[in-house]
Amino acid sequence: MIEVDRVTKAFYTVVAVNDLSLDVPEGEVIGVLGPNGAGKTTLFKLLAGFLKPDKGRIRAKRLQWPAIGYKPERLLFPNQMRVLAYLEMVAALSNVNSRDIRRVVYDSLSRVNLLDASQKQIRDCSKGMRQRLGLAQALIGDPPLLILDEPSNGLDPDGQAIIASHIQQLRQMGKTILLSSHQLHEVTQVCTHLIIMNQGQILYERPMAEALIEQPHALIRVNQPLAPVAALLQSLHPEVVIQEQEIVLNNEAMGLRRQVLSILLAAGYDILKVEQQRVTLAEVYAEATR
Amino acid sequence: MIQRIATLCRYLTTSLLFSLTGVIYLIGTLVYYWLAFQQPSPEVSYFVLVIGLFGGAVTFLLTLSIASRANQAINFPLLVRLPSRVEYLAAVFLTAVTLGLLLQLLVGLIALLHNGPSLSLSQAVEIPPVWLAINILAAALALHASELVTAGWSRVYLYGALAVLLFLQSNHSQVMSWIGGRFLALGNWFNGLGITALNFPLRNLANWLSVNGNEWLARFIAFVFWPIQAITEATMNGYFSRAQALAPAVLLLYATIIFMLAADLFANKDLHLHE
């Protein structure tokens, strides 16, 4: 849908995005993670057209106007306006037929559970309402690409869950979504693709499912201390970690688990638990940004 | 496109008028009327010039105020909706010109109702297009002074060029003879070094600049400032000759060129809207 080809963007001496290439496929929800100052917001602003690349280019394929719905990181709105009037204005700017504006706005408000606040002045809206308002305005005009910069930033767990469920609904509707977040569980929950950035570059890029099973661990718990068989087990593979009554297999080598289990059974241990553990997003993130 | 620009104009107008800045503009307009029209029954030329000057100045300031509001980060979600950034700039421009004209008409109307000059209908109809042309030029110039449009050194270049033209308007002969003198001195310096081949052309150039160059420069500057001069003269005389009637159109041409420059700058710059 959008192709970013070796784009560099610098502000004076600070290189915010450095020779970055990225293909945004249609219908994917791409989670962009990275520490503060990694270049996520600059990348989003480049994609939304607010910034021009110093080098490289950004190409949009088969995108018809209005192509992009954008929710900025900061929840800044014209506070003196009412929610309804603000969304009507966004609709009028988004090629919505004047007869359909009211319907489109109410549709967008109901999608984010904000109908009750339609007559409120924006200054009277809570943080959660403002986040949902940000999402509602991005949805108006049915743009195929949504850029959501920290959509659940500063929300309580309930608020985060509501936003995550809205994003999942949008995913089911086939929208292409780019979102940045510091909420790792939210990214795990809603994203189909993962990008980790630091210092303006992509350090890690993979489909989410692949990212999370990339280094599977297995945990085996037994009924008595493992000291008598520890040496034998460790001789199988250096990635076999022996704890008191637990063995952690940090390797996906074929047959390793079966070999460990046979040794344990032969030595008369009872197997209390065998658990396949996936690597967490936090571990992937820590590894990539190390 | 018209729907989008009209929507943005409405938004910018309400955001300005329902703010302290909007109230200040309204109070400023009334104070200006009070200061400028203390004497009863002024001349028509006084009426046209004083309110014309007010219109240009207030449109310039309004453009700066509206552009500053348009340059806020709350507008990112609106900007991303537009197929072209120029629509956004057009909305800023049109809002400023419209509000400027309305404030100007307010002063004019109050002045006419309270001891103003007596105007025939034909005179009254002739005045607003002249005012409007000046206001449009003021708005186009003000765009370049605003943070919204300016990119790099652009406003220094534009206002620098304007300052040079204004300086040359009254000092062109001194400037040309000074430049001629520098070339003459350069020729003498080369002569002293024994490079006589350069002395003769430099002397010729110095003479040409002092006589013909000065005349050319004077003509060029008179040509550039002709519309302003023509409008002022016509207003003082009380009627527009055929040639003078073209002056507002030439001002509009200037404004168009300056607006196109602003649109090009705005369309290609990085938008760092204020939070």
Side-chain angles (χ1 to χ4, degrees):
Chain A
M1 179 177 257
I2 290 189
E3 197 180 298
V4 179
D5 185 19
R6 305 197 68 181
V7 163
T8 296
K9 183 73 199 172
F11 302 106
Y12 301 101
T13 53
V14 179
V15 182
V17 168
N18 189 5
D19 199 27
L20 184 144
S21 295
L22 168 70
D23 202 8
V24 181
E26 211 167 326
E28 297 280 347
V29 180
I30 300 170
V32 183
L33 297 178
N36 291 331
K40 305 182 296 286
T41 298
T42 303
L43 173 66
F44 284 4
K45 285 187 175 175
L46 283 162
L47 291 171
F50 299 134
L51 300 177
K52 307 281 177 186
D54 295 336
K55 282 185 203 159
R57 58 180 177 172
I58 298 172
R59 274 176 295 193
K61 299 175 206 160
R62 302 187 301 279
L63 268 183
Q64 283 187 330
W65 175 77
I68 299 173
Y70 178 72
K71 193 212 89 65
E73 180 187 352
R74 298 281 304 273
L75 295 168
L76 300 166
F77 297 104
N79 284 327
Q80 77 282 4
M81 289 184 89
R82 291 186 187 280
V83 167
L84 188 68
Y86 176 66
L87 293 179
E88 282 178 346
M89 177 172 70
V90 176
L93 297 177
S94 308
N95 211 21
V96 176
N97 193 305
S98 52
R99 280 171 301 185
D100 298 332
I101 283 180
R102 205 34 90 85
R103 183 185 56 74
V104 166
V105 166
Y106 275 114
D107 181 45
S108 151
L109 282 170
S110 75
R111 274 203 227 165
V112 297
N113 300 341
L114 208 58
L115 272 174
D116 293 344
S118 63
Q119 292 303 330
K120 269 194 171 186
Q121 278 202 318
I122 296 176
R123 69 161 62 89
D124 298 330
C125 289
S126 67
K127 204 166 187 177
M129 284 175 174
R130 290 165 81 93
Q131 282 286 15
R132 280 183 280 156
L133 177 59
L135 200 55
Q137 63 80 19
L139 295 177
I140 282 180
D142 207 22
L145 175 64
L146 294 171
I147 297 176
L148 310 176
D149 201 349
E150 303 200 14
S152 54
N153 185 20
L155 291 184
D156 58 26
D158 287 346
Q160 288 174 18
I162 291 171
I163 295 288
S165 96
H166 293 319
I167 296 170
Q168 276 176 327
Q169 283 172 24
L170 293 169
R171 186 173 92 181
Q172 282 155 12
M173 289 162 62
K175 299 276 181 208
T176 306
I177 302 172
L178 268 156
L179 78 92
S180 74
S181 179
H182 291 297
Q183 316 291 339
L184 299 185
H185 68 277
E186 177 187 65
V187 174
T188 314
Q189 206 180 341
V190 302
C191 295
T192 59
H193 209 91
L194 177 67
I195 285 173
I196 299 176
M197 285 182 73
N198 200 7
Q199 296 180 332
Q201 289 181 317
I202 292 178
L203 303 177
Y204 185 93
E205 185 188 359
R206 216 148 290 185
M208 184 62 78
E210 211 177 287
L212 296 184
I213 61 165
E214 192 186 12
Q215 295 172 312
H217 314 237
L219 178 96
I220 301 170
R221 186 173 294 155
V222 293
N223 64 334
Q224 49 186 302
L226 287 160
V229 289
L232 179 60
L233 291 174
Q234 272 174 333
S235 68
L236 292 175
H237 199 284
E239 293 283 351
V240 176
V241 179
I242 312 286
Q243 290 160 0
E244 182 70 18
Q245 285 178 223
E246 281 181 352
I247 302 164
V248 179
L249 304 177
N250 285 331
N251 192 280
E252 56 184 341
M254 289 293 289
L256 182 60
R257 195 191 313 180
R258 202 169 27 194
Q259 277 179 291
V260 170
L261 287 171
S262 340
I263 291 169
L264 291 172
L265 290 170
Y269 285 91
D270 287 341
I271 309 296
L272 301 178
K273 183 180 182 184
V274 179
E275 191 177 78
Q276 177 70 48
Q277 290 190 317
R278 287 187 166 189
V279 72
T280 63
L281 188 52
E283 288 168 314
V284 175
Y285 178 79
E287 181 67 29
T289 54
R290 188 180 295 160
Chain B
M1 182 175 80
I2 291 169
Q3 178 187 323
R4 289 189 298 274
I5 293 177
T7 304
L8 286 170
C9 285
R10 216 165 31 239
Y11 164 63
L12 292 169
T13 304
T14 48
S15 84
L16 182 77
L17 291 185
F18 291 101
S19 69
L20 182 64
T21 318
V23 176
I24 290 171
Y25 273 110
L26 202 61
I27 293 171
T29 302
L30 297 175
V31 168
Y32 185 84
Y33 158 75
W34 183 75
L35 289 173
F37 291 95
Q38 286 187 335
Q39 299 294 324
S41 306
E43 296 280 318
V44 173
S45 59
Y46 177 85
F47 173 83
V48 175
L49 283 178
V50 163
I51 298 180
L53 189 70
F54 168 75
V58 84
T59 307
F60 192 94
L61 293 175
L62 276 166
T63 310
L64 290 179
S65 302
I66 293 166
S68 153
R69 280 166 184 276
N71 195 33
Q72 289 176 353
I74 55 170
N75 300 318
F76 270 134
L78 309 182
L79 259 161
V80 80
R81 297 289 169 161
L82 302 175
S84 160
R85 281 189 196 177
V86 179
E87 290 181 10
Y88 194 69
L89 195 67
V92 170
F93 179 77
L94 287 175
T95 307
V97 170
T98 309
L99 290 179
L101 189 67
L102 285 176
L103 290 179
Q104 194 175 30
L105 289 177
L106 178 69
V107 177
L109 208 64
I110 302 173
L112 279 178
L113 293 175
H114 287 273
N115 301 322
S118 49
L119 288 173
S120 68
L121 185 65
S122 62
Q123 276 178 310
V125 169
E126 269 178 14
I127 297 168
V130 178
W131 283 346
L132 191 60
I134 294 167
N135 294 0
I136 288 174
L137 181 65
L141 279 170
L143 282 178
H144 285 274
S146 71
E147 198 67 33
L148 181 72
V149 167
T150 192
W153 290 79
S154 69
R155 67 177 142 194
V156 176
Y157 295 144
L158 184 89
Y159 283 94
L162 198 62
V164 167
L165 281 174
L166 284 167
F167 178 77
L168 288 178
Q169 191 188 17
S170 46
N171 301 294
H172 54 85
S173 51
Q174 289 98 312
V175 169
M176 290 313 274
S177 56
W178 182 83
I179 296 172
R182 297 304 94 206
F183 277 112
L184 209 59
L186 191 65
N188 289 338
W189 184 71
F190 277 122
N191 209 19
L193 290 175
I195 312 169
T196 48
L198 282 174
N199 184 26
F200 185 66
L202 283 171
R203 265 176 189 282
N204 277 351
L205 181 63
N207 288 337
W208 185 88
L209 283 173
S210 305
V211 184
N212 297 3
N214 184 30
E215 197 183 316
W216 277 80
L217 185 64
R219 274 190 207 164
F220 171 72
I221 288 169
F223 173 76
V224 171
F225 288 107
W226 171 78
I228 307 277
Q229 193 192 347
I231 287 174
T232 314
E233 277 174 12
T235 307
M236 301 304 283
N237 294 339
Y239 66 92
F240 277 84
S241 67
R242 281 186 186 175
Q244 285 168 336
L246 278 175
V250 178
L251 279 190
L252 285 180
L253 180 69
Y254 288 176
T256 308
I257 293 166
I258 294 168
F259 179 81
M260 282 168 68
L261 274 174
D264 188 54
L265 283 171
F266 183 62
N268 294 304
K269 72 178 283 196
D270 287 337
L271 291 180
H272 298 290
L273 307 189
H274 294 301
E275 293 192 348

